[in-house]
Amino acid sequence: MLFVEKVLQPARRRCRRHRRSKGRVPFHCGASGKALLAFGAEALREGVMAAPLRRRTPWTITDPARLEAELEQVRAQGYAVDRQELVVGYAAVAAPVFVDGVAVATLTVVGPVERLDVRRLAPVVGAAGRALTRDVAPVKG
């Protein structure tokens, strides 16, 4: 998965921040990737599930059956969560952005695991993802 933009909010407290503005990460171990797998093209999900799911942290999901169960939960709730699966000490909430019914991007909020309140952020991130979906929808007529 390729991420192309990262917006950093100045931290109120000191914490380690990743400075890369572009990069690639595996689909199976981050909130953004799991949102794309859950709502994206079936061929993408099949390709990821067929390859080895490599461990990035002690919390990375490496079992295909467990990942599929997680993706079912993502589809049911409308957003994906990462709790230290990609980077130790960080959590994330991601909402899909759709074009023609297929997730093509995500809106993701990442923060230190001890400060990221998933229950509070998930509805806001989900609403923002739906708003972006409406904004990028092709004009029909």
Side-chain angles (χ1 to χ4, degrees):
M1 182 183 68
L2 173 67
F3 62 92
V4 294
E5 185 65 37
K6 189 183 283 191
V7 179
L8 298 174
Q9 177 182 10
R12 288 184 223 144
R13 298 181 202 133
R14 283 194 98 111
C15 66
R16 188 180 86 227
R17 292 191 295 184
H18 299 278
R19 299 259 182 220
R20 264 186 354 190
S21 62
K22 296 179 183 176
R24 293 187 183 276
V25 297
F27 280 96
H28 71 283
C29 58
S32 297
K34 289 191 290 183
L36 290 171
L37 288 175
F39 295 106
E42 189 172 330
L44 171 66
R45 186 172 54 259
E46 289 172 354
V48 169
M49 295 299 237
L53 303 175
R54 299 204 191 311
R55 183 171 306 282
R56 295 279 299 242
T57 75
W59 297 276
T60 302
I61 297 172
T62 58
D63 175 53
R66 185 166 165 232
L67 179 59
E68 191 56 56
E70 175 96 2
L71 297 179
E72 285 295 325
Q73 182 177 0
V74 170
R75 284 188 282 275
Q77 62 196 17
Y79 62 88
V81 176
D82 161 12
R83 290 182 178 90
Q84 302 188 80
E85 295 166 45
L86 183 60
V87 178
V88 172
Y90 286 84
V93 178
V97 178
F98 295 93
V99 172
D100 294 329
V102 177
V104 297
T106 65
L107 176 67
T108 308
V109 175
V110 180
V113 70
E114 70 274 1
R115 293 196 339 236
L116 192 83
D117 185 344
V118 170
R119 288 184 298 177
R120 185 176 64 82
L121 282 174
V124 176
V125 173
R130 289 187 297 279
L132 280 172
T133 293
R134 286 189 301 274
D135 287 348
V136 299
V139 177
K140 295 183 180 175

